[in-house]
Amino acid sequence: MRLSAVIIGHNSWHYLEKNLASLHFLSCDPQVEIIYVDNASTDATLREIRRLHPHITVFENRSNAGISAARNRGIRAASGEYIWLLDSDTEASETSLAAMLSFMDEHPEAGLCGCKMYGQDGRIQNSCRRFPTMGGKLKAAFRIFTRRLRGKAPVSRAPRDSDYDVNATRPFEVDYVIGACQLFRRTAQEKIGLLDEHIFYGPEDADFCLRMKQAGYKVFYLPQVSMFHAYQRISSRRIFSKINGRHLLGLAYYFRKHGC
């Protein structure tokens, strides 16, 4: 098996409908499998996937197990040489996937890669980033909190906030790419292990890439090809919420684990 695409979702059929439709180019490829792991959805997701996409392998979690645990269930079931993690709110590109697979084939030092991503507003997203630090997160939280106090919506991280040139034309090495689109080789994943299930929602993607680097692999960003990413950003909906609490716990765990 050449490729295993692993997608997870929780009450996200509105996004998944477009996501799975964008993967139609994979449906007839015998060297590709699509795995969907559901985190206890109560909407039409499971019914519609089985009706419209019977070729997709579906796993159901009885409760919302979080991002890491759900993706790990898909990774364990995957048999591909490469594993492609996708968020439910992405819309795939055949050109981008072909470029990422070709890059990985030609660069054995690469353990993982991602590509450029555009949001609903047409702007390039900051999908390649430096590893999070406690100081950086505290400053970001302060900016969001003060904007909320003034009655203003939080501002998404713009490309200028990144140390990386997302408008570059050639692939380059980065600290990490966000989990919305991560393509990695199975042999690298087997060496470093699965996603850390102590992290329910963020920063499991940074942790995974950091462990890739610690194992001697490189992480790359491919700016010459792109995909669409709606970027739900569920932790920004309310400052004081259960999901934000779990996100903060994940960050605290990450900083404690890696001493940063």
Side-chain angles (χ1 to χ4, degrees):
M1 186 72 69
R2 170 74 164 162
L3 175 71
S4 298
V6 176
I7 308 161
I8 66 170
H10 170 68
N11 291 331
S12 52
W13 177 244
H14 171 72
Y15 293 106
L16 276 167
E17 185 176 14
K18 299 172 183 176
N19 170 278
L20 297 178
S22 74
L23 293 173
H24 67 89
F25 64 93
L26 297 177
S27 59
C28 296
D29 190 334
Q31 290 300 308
V32 175
E33 63 181 351
I34 301 176
I35 298 170
Y36 172 71
V37 182
D38 188 78
N39 260 336
S41 293
T42 56
D43 65 357
T45 296
L46 292 169
R47 181 182 71 247
E48 292 302 305
I49 289 178
R50 289 178 172 129
R51 182 176 70 88
L52 298 171
H53 306 281
H55 60 285
I56 293 178
T57 301
V58 176
F59 294 96
E60 298 179 52
N61 288 330
R62 294 183 178 180
S63 61
N64 189 344
I67 291 177
S68 296
R71 282 183 171 152
N72 283 345
R73 188 170 184 182
I75 292 169
R76 290 189 190 98
S79 55
E81 173 189 359
Y82 291 106
I83 297 175
W84 189 21
L85 300 184
L86 284 174
D87 270 2
S88 60
D89 58 357
T90 58
E91 292 177 39
S93 160
E94 184 174 4
T95 301
S96 294
L97 175 60
M100 289 190 290
L101 285 170
S102 177
F103 180 85
M104 296 294 284
D105 283 342
E106 295 169 5
H107 295 82
E109 75 278 13
L112 183 151
C113 75
C115 68
K116 182 182 292 183
M117 308 196 85
Y118 286 92
Q120 297 179 31
D121 57 3
R123 298 175 64 191
I124 301 172
Q125 296 178 347
N126 186 21
S127 56
C128 61
R129 303 174 182 177
R130 297 289 183 184
F131 289 126
T133 63
M134 189 175 298
K137 288 296 181 181
L138 287 173
K139 289 178 182 177
F142 179 76
R143 286 197 300 268
I144 292 172
F145 188 73
T146 53
R147 286 187 65 85
R148 286 289 177 85
L149 287 178
R150 295 170 186 168
K152 298 180 180 180
V155 178
S156 299
R157 288 186 70 182
R160 65 176 178 273
D161 294 325
S162 173
D163 293 327
Y164 298 116
D165 181 9
V166 293
N167 291 304
T169 57
R170 297 175 62 85
F172 55 89
E173 188 178 357
V174 297
D175 279 358
Y176 80 102
V177 293
I178 63 173
C181 174
Q182 291 184 336
L183 178 74
F184 55 86
R185 63 181 78 248
R186 185 56 179 263
T187 51
Q189 179 272 309
E190 289 175 341
K191 185 174 181 179
I192 70 170
L194 296 163
L195 296 170
D196 192 329
E197 295 187 13
H198 287 95
I199 304 173
F200 184 92
Y201 172 72
E204 79 293 330
D205 45 9
D207 175 80
F208 193 63
C209 289
L210 179 53
R211 288 189 284 128
M212 280 280 182
K213 288 177 170 288
Q214 290 172 339
Y217 294 99
K218 295 182 178 180
V219 174
F220 286 91
Y221 175 77
L222 279 62
Q224 74 274 22
V225 287
S226 63
M227 287 174 45
F228 173 81
H229 180 213
Y231 197 44
Q232 299 177 65
R233 191 64 179 175
I234 59 176
S235 63
S236 294
R237 292 175 185 168
R238 287 182 296 144
I239 294 177
F240 303 107
S241 65
K242 185 175 181 180
I243 193 64
N244 265 336
R246 284 178 161 172
H247 180 62
L248 290 173
L249 287 174
L251 282 170
Y253 170 81
Y254 173 89
F255 295 141
R256 189 166 62 250
K257 176 181 179 180
H258 297 292
C260 53

